[in-house]
Amino acid sequence: AQKVTQAQTEISVVEKEDVTLDCVYETRDTTYYLFWYKQPPSGELVFLIRRNSFDEQNEISGRYSWNFQKSTSSFNFTITASQVVDSAVYFCALSLQGAQKLVFGQGTRLTINP
Amino acid sequence: EAQVTQNPRYLITVTGKKLTVTCSQNMNHEYMSWYRQDPGLGLRQIYYSMNVEVTDKGDVPEGYKVSRKEKRNFPLILESPSPNQTSLYFCASSLGPRASYEQYFGPGTRLTVT
């Protein structure tokens, strides 16, 4: 069975600090996909990134970066120089090749204080 | 604008009163899915559909029904709602034929069953 664990339930930091959200996944399959979604206070789910299991290159998009390490089954998300607008619940998710569902972690509520 | 719409956005109802939450997408996606979000549990899949007239159960299908008579619409039906179905519901459609592709989520429907 597949499982995604986001051990950090809530994180609170001061604006401009860097913050890393952890994501650990479990699967026996060799082909799978990892995702991050953002859920701002307005409630919608916003897609951030999709990464396949064969691509371990780190990804950077502006202040956002993702560190994928198969050796530790982790797909961590870092926000550099955080801003108040980054306050949201962030979900990590896993899908297997050919699968019909996303398996979500419990989510991490991130609060950026001014 | 490419989007997934859900209606209603908010609903308060009583136990046993049948209700339908509508979902519609304008991207001609074949794959659609329903999730429910509960605190501490992340999102869990209720049902999914790979195409018109093709639906199947997700992880938590009990108490729900779906139909897919048209490609764009995927309504969620609660024949006899109970308080444990109080939750935040999301409809999603996928860029590809599987859940392993980027999914677009609707704005969510917050349901309260008293």
Side-chain angles (χ1 to χ4, degrees), chain A residues 7-92:
Chain A
Q8 303 152 308
T9 304
E10 294 191 27
I11 300 175
S12 181
V13 301
V14 177
E15 198 172 21
K16 297 184 183 176
E17 287 186 14
D18 298 348
V19 58
T20 295
L21 283 60
D22 297 333
C23 173
V24 174
Y25 61 93
E26 296 176 28
T27 179
R28 292 181 180 174
D29 284 49
T30 57
T31 305
Y32 51 89
Y33 299 84
L34 295 163
F35 301 78
W36 276 94
Y37 282 86
K38 174 182 179 180
Q39 186 177 44
S42 50
E44 74 274 20
L45 285 161
V46 178
F47 168 83
L48 295 178
I49 189 171
R50 171 182 181 259
R51 176 54 53 89
N52 76 59
S53 55
F54 297 107
D55 182 4
E56 286 194 74
Q57 277 194 327
N58 289 337
E59 176 104 4
I60 298 175
S61 177
R63 296 183 297 105
Y64 295 173
S65 63
W66 290 269
N67 183 352
F68 177 29
Q69 291 197 338
K70 289 177 76 172
S71 60
T72 56
S73 297
S74 65
F75 187 44
N76 296 337
F77 173 34
T78 296
I79 302 174
T80 302
S82 60
Q83 300 176 2
V84 173
V85 293
D86 296 326
S87 296
V89 179
Y90 290 87
F91 290 98
C92 180

Side-chain angles (χ1 to χ4, degrees), chain A residues 37 39 50 99-102, chain B residues 31 35 37 45 59 100:
Chain A
Y37 282 86
Q39 186 177 44
R50 171 182 181 259
Q100 299 303 336
K101 68 178 180 183
L102 285 173
Chain B
Y31 176 93
Y35 292 85
Q37 180 181 351
Q45 189 185 57
D59 290 328
S100 51

Side-chain angles (χ1 to χ4, degrees), chain B residues 16-54:
Chain B
K17 186 176 181 182
K18 181 180 178 179
L19 67 91
T20 299
V21 183
T22 64
C23 172
S24 183
Q25 50 94 5
N26 62 0
M27 296 166 280
N28 202 38
H29 288 168
E30 292 181 350
Y31 176 93
M32 297 184 73
S33 181
W34 276 101
Y35 292 85
R36 61 177 287 174
Q37 180 181 351
D38 301 291
L41 297 177
L43 284 81
R44 294 175 293 167
Q45 189 185 57
I46 303 170
Y47 269 93
Y48 67 91
S49 170
M50 293 177 64
N51 213 327
V52 175
E53 302 291 1
V54 181

Side-chain angles (χ1 to χ4, degrees), chain B residues 53-65:
Chain B
E53 302 291 1
V54 181
T55 64
D56 207 347
K57 297 176 181 179
D59 290 328
V60 289
E62 295 77 20
Y64 305 95
K65 287 175 58 176

